[in-house]
Amino acid sequence: MAKGKGSSLIAQNKKAYHDYFIEETFQAGLSLAGTEVKSLRQGKCSLKESFIRIESGEAFIYNMHISPYEQGNIFNKDPLRTRRLLLHKAEINKIGRSIQEAGYTVVPLKVYFYKSLVKMDIGIAKGKKLYDKRQTIAKKDQLREAEKDFKIRNLTV
């Protein structure tokens, strides 16, 4: 990828959209070491078990796995270390107020390169119940069937 050109996706948390209703999203920067950025350029990142907390006016992401860079030797950091999210103070306060409300949490949605910077989309989310998940799956199935029927009708005409 050429530096400074568009954005490219590194990792996405598909499970977040399945388990939560995403109310609002924010774009945050990540405070990373050099070898971590090189590892991200190779696409070695996982958001599966990661979560976000607000502590003493700062946002941190826990359990985000960035594999060690092969040529990093002594400069490699712990793959599961806590990393700071770079957000404006007003955004952190807004997220903090939302978390105080019952049932809301902050989840990481995706990690990507924006120009030459590593960015993360985070979302304020409310947990889905089992019946909500079933409704979502049923809607996706209906859309898939409708698209399939539409495609077949257009091919025969």
Side-chain angles (χ1 to χ4, degrees), residues 103-138:
Y104 283 98
T105 186
V106 182
V107 293
L109 300 175
K110 63 182 176 178
V111 178
Y112 56 95
F113 282 106
Y114 177 73
K115 298 183 179 174
S116 63
L117 304 173
V118 179
K119 298 287 186 174
M120 173 182 278
D121 279 355
I122 60 175
I124 297 173
K126 190 168 187 121
K128 285 185 181 179
K129 304 285 188 216
L130 183 59
Y131 57 84
D132 290 330
K133 293 178 189 178
R134 288 182 185 147
Q135 288 175 352
T136 304
I137 292 170

Side-chain angles (χ1 to χ4, degrees), residues 1 5-14 17 27 39-47 64 108-115 117-122:
M1 181 188 109
K5 304 289 185 208
S7 66
S8 64
L9 186 66
I10 300 168
Q12 188 171 11
N13 189 359
K14 293 179 183 177
Y17 290 100
Q27 183 184 51
S39 184
L40 287 176
R41 288 208 184 278
Q42 295 176 345
K44 297 184 176 181
C45 176
S46 175
L47 293 173
M64 179 176 150
L109 300 175
K110 63 182 176 178
V111 178
Y112 56 95
F113 282 106
Y114 177 73
K115 298 183 179 174
L117 304 173
V118 179
K119 298 287 186 174
M120 173 182 278
D121 279 355
I122 60 175

Side-chain angles (χ1 to χ4, degrees), residues 19-71:
D19 291 339
Y20 300 99
F21 292 114
I22 308 299
E23 303 284 326
E24 189 173 359
T25 61
F26 295 94
Q27 183 184 51
L30 282 165
S31 181
L32 300 170
T35 54
E36 290 176 324
V37 175
K38 289 180 179 186
S39 184
L40 287 176
R41 288 208 184 278
Q42 295 176 345
K44 297 184 176 181
C45 176
S46 175
L47 293 173
K48 289 205 188 245
E49 298 295 322
S50 60
F51 59 96
I52 296 170
R53 283 193 184 151
I54 307 291
E55 297 172 355
S56 64
E58 292 183 338
F60 294 96
I61 184 163
Y62 293 86
N63 290 343
M64 179 176 150
H65 189 275
I66 298 177
S67 297
Y69 184 59
E70 288 90 18
Q71 289 83 32

